[in-house]
Amino acid sequence: MTMSNIWRLVGFCTKIRKELSILLGIALAVVLMQQSSFAKVCQQIRQDTLRLHIRAASDSVQDQEEKLAVRDAILQQAEELFANQTNRQQAEESVQQNLEQIQQVASDVLKSRGSDHTAQVYLTEMLFDTIEYEGFTMPAGEYHALRVDIGEAEGKNWWCVMFPPLCIPAAQPVEEVECYSQQEKELLQGGYEIRFALVEWWQHLSAKTPSYD
């Protein structure tokens, strides 16, 4: 191949690269525009939701069973705490006012099981990945959460939605939740899709709080 042919090939490759860059730029712009309204609805869901996150002392069978027993007791108590609450702010205030009581419930469960572990209960903000539950998908992002650490809190954790009451024994179906708008309900019940992955990637990139792991 002559030198002139090599330069022609280099020029052709450069042109192709520029055209591909333009096409990729256009495609990215379209995705971002479409993602914008989706991301806004995800953000509204995060603002309207209070999560529950419980970390077991370890991964032993006994410690994992303790975690689930504490979970059941707290969710049972949540039915009373949120009986008259209509939004996340009210639910969070109710939890804040009853933190000592929630802590006592967790401690009583551990004591009744003969455990030496203690439980630490507090409100915080945490980063959650996208999670598919039965009947709905919760988008990734930073949520307000009631966190319960049992013992050293080094075991597998359990998490769900505390408010609105989607995980308590008398859980509501998403379509009946009054604190979510119609757009939020449609997104939650739409099933997992690639846009959730894009939201998750961005949330991890921009997060200010630690992950639930």
Side-chain angles (χ1 to χ4, degrees), residues 35 38-40 42-44 46 126-130 139-143 195-211:
Q35 184 71 6
F38 183 84
K40 287 180 181 178
C42 288
Q43 177 60 23
Q44 190 60 50
R46 290 190 285 271
M126 300 177 61
L127 176 64
F128 289 83
D129 287 339
T130 303
E142 294 174 287
Y143 288 81
R195 288 185 294 181
F196 279 117
L198 293 174
V199 167
E200 185 168 317
W201 170 79
W202 175 251
Q203 288 296 313
H204 275 276
L205 190 66
S206 59
K208 299 178 182 177
T209 60
S211 162

mmCIF file of all heavy atoms in Angstrom, residues 35 38-40 42-44 46 126-130 139-143 195-211:
data_model
loop_
_atom_site.group_PDB
_atom_site.id
_atom_site.type_symbol
_atom_site.label_atom_id
_atom_site.label_comp_id
_atom_site.label_asym_id
_atom_site.label_seq_id
_atom_site.Cartn_x
_atom_site.Cartn_y
_atom_site.Cartn_z
ATOM 1 N N GLN A 35 -35.263 10.276 29.505
ATOM 2 C CA GLN A 35 -34.976 9.893 30.872
ATOM 3 C C GLN A 35 -35.380 10.975 31.855
ATOM 4 O O GLN A 35 -35.685 10.690 33.019
ATOM 5 C CB GLN A 35 -33.469 9.606 31.009
ATOM 6 C CG GLN A 35 -33.037 9.104 32.369
ATOM 7 C CD GLN A 35 -33.515 7.689 32.622
ATOM 8 O OE1 GLN A 35 -34.071 7.042 31.745
ATOM 9 N NE2 GLN A 35 -33.311 7.206 33.832
ATOM 10 N N PHE A 38 -38.827 10.518 33.386
ATOM 11 C CA PHE A 38 -38.775 9.266 34.138
ATOM 12 C C PHE A 38 -38.030 9.483 35.451
ATOM 13 O O PHE A 38 -38.475 9.061 36.522
ATOM 14 C CB PHE A 38 -38.082 8.197 33.296
ATOM 15 C CG PHE A 38 -38.023 6.828 33.935
ATOM 16 C CD1 PHE A 38 -39.099 5.957 33.828
ATOM 17 C CD2 PHE A 38 -36.892 6.417 34.616
ATOM 18 C CE1 PHE A 38 -39.045 4.695 34.406
ATOM 19 C CE2 PHE A 38 -36.834 5.160 35.201
ATOM 20 C CZ PHE A 38 -37.908 4.295 35.091
ATOM 21 N N ALA A 39 -36.889 10.189 35.371
ATOM 22 C CA ALA A 39 -36.083 10.454 36.559
ATOM 23 C C ALA A 39 -36.836 11.338 37.550
ATOM 24 O O ALA A 39 -36.704 11.173 38.762
ATOM 25 C CB ALA A 39 -34.770 11.115 36.159
ATOM 26 N N LYS A 40 -37.628 12.266 37.040
ATOM 27 C CA LYS A 40 -38.398 13.146 37.928
ATOM 28 C C LYS A 40 -39.441 12.361 38.711
ATOM 29 O O LYS A 40 -39.660 12.610 39.905
ATOM 30 C CB LYS A 40 -39.069 14.255 37.117
ATOM 31 C CG LYS A 40 -38.112 15.323 36.619
ATOM 32 C CD LYS A 40 -38.847 16.387 35.810
ATOM 33 C CE LYS A 40 -37.875 17.444 35.305
ATOM 34 N NZ LYS A 40 -38.568 18.464 34.470
ATOM 35 N N CYS A 42 -39.198 9.166 39.432
ATOM 36 C CA CYS A 42 -38.407 8.374 40.390
ATOM 37 C C CYS A 42 -38.069 9.212 41.617
ATOM 38 O O CYS A 42 -38.157 8.734 42.756
ATOM 39 C CB CYS A 42 -37.119 7.867 39.737
ATOM 40 S SG CYS A 42 -37.347 6.548 38.517
ATOM 41 N N GLN A 43 -37.687 10.461 41.390
ATOM 42 C CA GLN A 43 -37.345 11.348 42.487
ATOM 43 C C GLN A 43 -38.553 11.602 43.384
ATOM 44 O O GLN A 43 -38.440 11.632 44.618
ATOM 45 C CB GLN A 43 -36.803 12.675 41.953
ATOM 46 C CG GLN A 43 -36.470 13.718 43.022
ATOM 47 C CD GLN A 43 -35.429 13.248 44.010
ATOM 48 O OE1 GLN A 43 -34.631 12.353 43.716
ATOM 49 N NE2 GLN A 43 -35.415 13.838 45.188
ATOM 50 N N GLN A 44 -39.720 11.754 42.784
ATOM 51 C CA GLN A 44 -40.933 11.979 43.570
ATOM 52 C C GLN A 44 -41.257 10.756 44.418
ATOM 53 O O GLN A 44 -41.682 10.881 45.574
ATOM 54 C CB GLN A 44 -42.111 12.306 42.650
ATOM 55 C CG GLN A 44 -43.346 12.790 43.390
ATOM 56 C CD GLN A 44 -43.078 14.048 44.194
ATOM 57 O OE1 GLN A 44 -42.537 15.017 43.678
ATOM 58 N NE2 GLN A 44 -43.444 14.025 45.478
ATOM 59 N N ARG A 46 -39.066 8.683 45.635
ATOM 60 C CA ARG A 46 -38.126 8.704 46.754
ATOM 61 C C ARG A 46 -38.568 9.683 47.838
ATOM 62 O O ARG A 46 -38.413 9.416 49.031
ATOM 63 C CB ARG A 46 -36.724 9.048 46.246
ATOM 64 C CG ARG A 46 -36.083 7.942 45.414
ATOM 65 C CD ARG A 46 -34.626 8.206 45.142
ATOM 66 N NE ARG A 46 -34.416 9.220 44.132
ATOM 67 C CZ ARG A 46 -34.319 8.994 42.819
ATOM 68 N NH1 ARG A 46 -34.414 7.755 42.366
ATOM 69 N NH2 ARG A 46 -34.106 9.973 41.963
ATOM 70 N N MET A 126 -30.304 6.737 53.120
ATOM 71 C CA MET A 126 -29.454 5.681 52.593
ATOM 72 C C MET A 126 -29.661 5.501 51.096
ATOM 73 O O MET A 126 -30.726 5.815 50.567
ATOM 74 C CB MET A 126 -29.770 4.350 53.296
ATOM 75 C CG MET A 126 -29.558 4.356 54.789
ATOM 76 S SD MET A 126 -30.039 2.780 55.527
ATOM 77 C CE MET A 126 -28.904 1.684 54.687
ATOM 78 N N LEU A 127 -28.635 4.971 50.455
ATOM 79 C CA LEU A 127 -28.692 4.687 49.024
ATOM 80 C C LEU A 127 -29.142 3.243 48.812
ATOM 81 O O LEU A 127 -28.532 2.315 49.341
ATOM 82 C CB LEU A 127 -27.316 4.896 48.390
ATOM 83 C CG LEU A 127 -27.181 4.552 46.911
ATOM 84 C CD1 LEU A 127 -28.065 5.467 46.069
ATOM 85 C CD2 LEU A 127 -25.729 4.658 46.462
ATOM 86 N N PHE A 128 -30.213 3.067 48.044
ATOM 87 C CA PHE A 128 -30.735 1.741 47.726
ATOM 88 C C PHE A 128 -30.624 1.494 46.221
ATOM 89 O O PHE A 128 -30.820 2.405 45.416
ATOM 90 C CB PHE A 128 -32.212 1.624 48.121
ATOM 91 C CG PHE A 128 -32.457 1.583 49.603
ATOM 92 C CD1 PHE A 128 -32.517 2.756 50.339
ATOM 93 C CD2 PHE A 128 -32.635 0.369 50.258
ATOM 94 C CE1 PHE A 128 -32.751 2.724 51.703
ATOM 95 C CE2 PHE A 128 -32.869 0.333 51.627
ATOM 96 C CZ PHE A 128 -32.930 1.511 52.353
ATOM 97 N N ASP A 129 -30.338 0.253 45.849
ATOM 98 C CA ASP A 129 -30.377 -0.143 44.440
ATOM 99 C C ASP A 129 -31.833 -0.341 44.015
ATOM 100 O O ASP A 129 -32.741 -0.396 44.849
ATOM 101 C CB ASP A 129 -29.613 -1.438 44.222
ATOM 102 C CG ASP A 129 -28.108 -1.244 44.320
ATOM 103 O OD1 ASP A 129 -27.645 -0.098 44.155
ATOM 104 O OD2 ASP A 129 -27.403 -2.241 44.584
ATOM 105 N N THR A 130 -32.039 -0.480 42.707
ATOM 106 C CA THR A 130 -33.363 -0.834 42.202
ATOM 107 C C THR A 130 -33.747 -2.202 42.743
ATOM 108 O O THR A 130 -32.938 -3.137 42.720
ATOM 109 C CB THR A 130 -33.358 -0.887 40.666
ATOM 110 O OG1 THR A 130 -32.924 0.364 40.161
ATOM 111 C CG2 THR A 130 -34.740 -1.208 40.130
ATOM 112 N N PRO A 139 -37.470 2.208 42.416
ATOM 113 C CA PRO A 139 -36.257 2.708 41.750
ATOM 114 C C PRO A 139 -35.125 2.984 42.728
ATOM 115 O O PRO A 139 -35.344 3.253 43.916
ATOM 116 C CB PRO A 139 -36.740 3.996 41.075
ATOM 117 C CG PRO A 139 -37.924 4.432 41.872
ATOM 118 C CD PRO A 139 -38.584 3.166 42.326
ATOM 119 N N ALA A 140 -33.910 2.936 42.213
ATOM 120 C CA ALA A 140 -32.722 3.195 43.018
ATOM 121 C C ALA A 140 -32.673 4.650 43.459
ATOM 122 O O ALA A 140 -33.315 5.523 42.875
ATOM 123 C CB ALA A 140 -31.473 2.859 42.212
ATOM 124 N N GLY A 141 -31.891 4.894 44.503
ATOM 125 C CA GLY A 141 -31.682 6.276 44.930
ATOM 126 C C GLY A 141 -31.571 6.404 46.434
ATOM 127 O O GLY A 141 -31.589 5.418 47.174
ATOM 128 N N GLU A 142 -31.443 7.632 46.892
ATOM 129 C CA GLU A 142 -31.318 7.926 48.312
ATOM 130 C C GLU A 142 -32.702 8.126 48.928
ATOM 131 O O GLU A 142 -33.461 8.994 48.491
ATOM 132 C CB GLU A 142 -30.454 9.164 48.517
ATOM 133 C CG GLU A 142 -29.004 8.928 48.091
ATOM 134 C CD GLU A 142 -28.162 10.183 48.161
ATOM 135 O OE1 GLU A 142 -28.350 11.059 47.296
ATOM 136 O OE2 GLU A 142 -27.328 10.290 49.067
ATOM 137 N N TYR A 143 -33.007 7.327 49.918
ATOM 138 C CA TYR A 143 -34.306 7.348 50.580
ATOM 139 C C TYR A 143 -34.143 7.659 52.068
ATOM 140 O O TYR A 143 -33.124 7.318 52.674
ATOM 141 C CB TYR A 143 -34.986 5.980 50.480
ATOM 142 C CG TYR A 143 -35.511 5.602 49.126
ATOM 143 C CD1 TYR A 143 -34.672 5.084 48.145
ATOM 144 C CD2 TYR A 143 -36.866 5.735 48.813
ATOM 145 C CE1 TYR A 143 -35.160 4.703 46.902
ATOM 146 C CE2 TYR A 143 -37.364 5.352 47.568
ATOM 147 C CZ TYR A 143 -36.505 4.840 46.625
ATOM 148 O OH TYR A 143 -36.987 4.469 45.392
ATOM 149 N N ARG A 195 -34.389 1.788 31.783
ATOM 150 C CA ARG A 195 -34.288 3.115 32.380
ATOM 151 C C ARG A 195 -34.005 3.054 33.872
ATOM 152 O O ARG A 195 -33.390 3.960 34.432
ATOM 153 C CB ARG A 195 -35.561 3.922 32.097
ATOM 154 C CG ARG A 195 -35.688 4.361 30.641
ATOM 155 C CD ARG A 195 -36.890 5.257 30.431
ATOM 156 N NE ARG A 195 -38.139 4.542 30.644
ATOM 157 C CZ ARG A 195 -39.342 5.100 30.510
ATOM 158 N NH1 ARG A 195 -39.445 6.373 30.174
ATOM 159 N NH2 ARG A 195 -40.438 4.389 30.707
ATOM 160 N N PHE A 196 -34.433 1.996 34.535
ATOM 161 C CA PHE A 196 -34.096 1.831 35.944
ATOM 162 C C PHE A 196 -32.582 1.697 36.121
ATOM 163 O O PHE A 196 -32.012 2.198 37.088
ATOM 164 C CB PHE A 196 -34.785 0.596 36.520
ATOM 165 C CG PHE A 196 -36.221 0.822 36.897
ATOM 166 C CD1 PHE A 196 -37.233 0.125 36.262
ATOM 167 C CD2 PHE A 196 -36.566 1.724 37.894
ATOM 168 C CE1 PHE A 196 -38.562 0.312 36.618
ATOM 169 C CE2 PHE A 196 -37.892 1.928 38.249
ATOM 170 C CZ PHE A 196 -38.892 1.223 37.607
ATOM 171 N N ALA A 197 -31.945 0.990 35.183
ATOM 172 C CA ALA A 197 -30.491 0.821 35.259
ATOM 173 C C ALA A 197 -29.777 2.157 35.088
ATOM 174 O O ALA A 197 -28.767 2.430 35.756
ATOM 175 C CB ALA A 197 -30.022 -0.172 34.195
ATOM 176 N N LEU A 198 -30.287 3.011 34.196
ATOM 177 C CA LEU A 198 -29.689 4.325 34.003
ATOM 178 C C LEU A 198 -29.848 5.185 35.252
ATOM 179 O O LEU A 198 -28.906 5.881 35.667
ATOM 180 C CB LEU A 198 -30.342 5.020 32.800
ATOM 181 C CG LEU A 198 -30.076 4.389 31.431
ATOM 182 C CD1 LEU A 198 -30.905 5.094 30.358
ATOM 183 C CD2 LEU A 198 -28.598 4.433 31.083
ATOM 184 N N VAL A 199 -31.025 5.130 35.859
ATOM 185 C CA VAL A 199 -31.255 5.875 37.102
ATOM 186 C C VAL A 199 -30.318 5.366 38.197
ATOM 187 O O VAL A 199 -29.721 6.144 38.941
ATOM 188 C CB VAL A 199 -32.729 5.740 37.552
ATOM 189 C CG1 VAL A 199 -32.906 6.237 38.988
ATOM 190 C CG2 VAL A 199 -33.632 6.533 36.623
ATOM 191 N N GLU A 200 -30.180 4.041 38.295
ATOM 192 C CA GLU A 200 -29.319 3.456 39.319
ATOM 193 C C GLU A 200 -27.870 3.887 39.125
ATOM 194 O O GLU A 200 -27.178 4.234 40.087
ATOM 195 C CB GLU A 200 -29.433 1.931 39.278
ATOM 196 C CG GLU A 200 -28.657 1.230 40.379
ATOM 197 C CD GLU A 200 -29.014 -0.239 40.478
ATOM 198 O OE1 GLU A 200 -30.218 -0.574 40.407
ATOM 199 O OE2 GLU A 200 -28.087 -1.049 40.629
ATOM 200 N N TRP A 201 -27.410 3.851 37.881
ATOM 201 C CA TRP A 201 -26.030 4.274 37.584
ATOM 202 C C TRP A 201 -25.809 5.715 38.012
ATOM 203 O O TRP A 201 -24.814 6.035 38.667
ATOM 204 C CB TRP A 201 -25.767 4.123 36.082
ATOM 205 C CG TRP A 201 -24.479 4.750 35.643
ATOM 206 C CD1 TRP A 201 -23.219 4.241 35.765
ATOM 207 C CD2 TRP A 201 -24.320 6.039 35.017
ATOM 208 N NE1 TRP A 201 -22.286 5.123 35.256
ATOM 209 C CE2 TRP A 201 -22.932 6.227 34.788
ATOM 210 C CE3 TRP A 201 -25.211 7.032 34.615
ATOM 211 C CZ2 TRP A 201 -22.432 7.384 34.192
ATOM 212 C CZ3 TRP A 201 -24.712 8.177 34.020
ATOM 213 C CH2 TRP A 201 -23.340 8.343 33.814
ATOM 214 N N TRP A 202 -26.753 6.597 37.699
ATOM 215 C CA TRP A 202 -26.597 8.005 38.037
ATOM 216 C C TRP A 202 -26.685 8.227 39.538
ATOM 217 O O TRP A 202 -25.941 9.028 40.102
ATOM 218 C CB TRP A 202 -27.649 8.844 37.323
ATOM 219 C CG TRP A 202 -27.588 10.293 37.732
ATOM 220 C CD1 TRP A 202 -28.471 10.979 38.498
ATOM 221 C CD2 TRP A 202 -26.548 11.222 37.400
ATOM 222 N NE1 TRP A 202 -28.066 12.278 38.676
ATOM 223 C CE2 TRP A 202 -26.895 12.459 38.010
ATOM 224 C CE3 TRP A 202 -25.371 11.130 36.658
ATOM 225 C CZ2 TRP A 202 -26.090 13.581 37.904
ATOM 226 C CZ3 TRP A 202 -24.576 12.261 36.557
ATOM 227 C CH2 TRP A 202 -24.925 13.472 37.155
ATOM 228 N N GLN A 203 -27.565 7.507 40.201
ATOM 229 C CA GLN A 203 -27.716 7.659 41.648
ATOM 230 C C GLN A 203 -26.452 7.241 42.383
ATOM 231 O O GLN A 203 -26.032 7.889 43.343
ATOM 232 C CB GLN A 203 -28.921 6.850 42.145
ATOM 233 C CG GLN A 203 -30.263 7.431 41.750
ATOM 234 C CD GLN A 203 -30.514 8.788 42.377
ATOM 235 O OE1 GLN A 203 -30.304 8.980 43.576
ATOM 236 N NE2 GLN A 203 -30.978 9.735 41.582
ATOM 237 N N HIS A 204 -25.825 6.168 41.961
ATOM 238 C CA HIS A 204 -24.572 5.733 42.582
ATOM 239 C C HIS A 204 -23.461 6.754 42.308
ATOM 240 O O HIS A 204 -22.613 6.992 43.168
ATOM 241 C CB HIS A 204 -24.166 4.361 42.064
ATOM 242 C CG HIS A 204 -24.810 3.222 42.789
ATOM 243 N ND1 HIS A 204 -24.314 2.713 43.966
ATOM 244 C CD2 HIS A 204 -25.942 2.518 42.528
ATOM 245 C CE1 HIS A 204 -25.089 1.730 44.397
ATOM 246 N NE2 HIS A 204 -26.087 1.590 43.526
ATOM 247 N N LEU A 205 -23.498 7.347 41.131
ATOM 248 C CA LEU A 205 -22.467 8.304 40.755
ATOM 249 C C LEU A 205 -22.572 9.582 41.587
ATOM 250 O O LEU A 205 -21.568 10.180 41.969
ATOM 251 C CB LEU A 205 -22.584 8.640 39.262
ATOM 252 C CG LEU A 205 -21.449 9.438 38.632
ATOM 253 C CD1 LEU A 205 -20.165 8.622 38.636
ATOM 254 C CD2 LEU A 205 -21.809 9.834 37.208
ATOM 255 N N SER A 206 -23.794 10.007 41.892
ATOM 256 C CA SER A 206 -24.025 11.288 42.550
ATOM 257 C C SER A 206 -24.418 11.154 44.025
ATOM 258 O O SER A 206 -24.717 12.164 44.673
ATOM 259 C CB SER A 206 -25.113 12.064 41.816
ATOM 260 O OG SER A 206 -26.332 11.319 41.774
ATOM 261 N N ALA A 207 -24.425 9.937 44.563
ATOM 262 C CA ALA A 207 -24.920 9.712 45.916
ATOM 263 C C ALA A 207 -24.068 10.425 46.968
ATOM 264 O O ALA A 207 -22.847 10.513 46.866
ATOM 265 C CB ALA A 207 -24.947 8.217 46.224
ATOM 266 N N LYS A 208 -24.743 10.926 47.993
ATOM 267 C CA LYS A 208 -24.098 11.565 49.126
ATOM 268 C C LYS A 208 -24.155 10.704 50.386
ATOM 269 O O LYS A 208 -23.573 11.036 51.393
ATOM 270 C CB LYS A 208 -24.757 12.919 49.407
ATOM 271 C CG LYS A 208 -24.654 13.913 48.245
ATOM 272 C CD LYS A 208 -25.361 15.205 48.582
ATOM 273 C CE LYS A 208 -25.289 16.186 47.391
ATOM 274 N NZ LYS A 208 -26.030 17.437 47.680
ATOM 275 N N THR A 209 -24.909 9.608 50.303
ATOM 276 C CA THR A 209 -25.088 8.737 51.458
ATOM 277 C C THR A 209 -24.605 7.338 51.121
ATOM 278 O O THR A 209 -24.507 6.957 49.954
ATOM 279 C CB THR A 209 -26.570 8.677 51.877
ATOM 280 O OG1 THR A 209 -27.340 8.181 50.787
ATOM 281 C CG2 THR A 209 -27.080 10.053 52.267
ATOM 282 N N PRO A 210 -24.302 6.511 52.148
ATOM 283 C CA PRO A 210 -23.805 5.141 51.895
ATOM 284 C C PRO A 210 -24.875 4.218 51.379
ATOM 285 O O PRO A 210 -26.076 4.449 51.577
ATOM 286 C CB PRO A 210 -23.318 4.692 53.285
ATOM 287 C CG PRO A 210 -24.146 5.491 54.236
ATOM 288 C CD PRO A 210 -24.345 6.830 53.575
ATOM 289 N N SER A 211 -24.452 3.165 50.697
ATOM 290 C CA SER A 211 -25.364 2.149 50.199
ATOM 291 C C SER A 211 -25.886 1.307 51.361
ATOM 292 O O SER A 211 -25.296 1.252 52.430
ATOM 293 C CB SER A 211 -24.642 1.258 49.192
ATOM 294 O OG SER A 211 -25.333 0.046 48.985
#
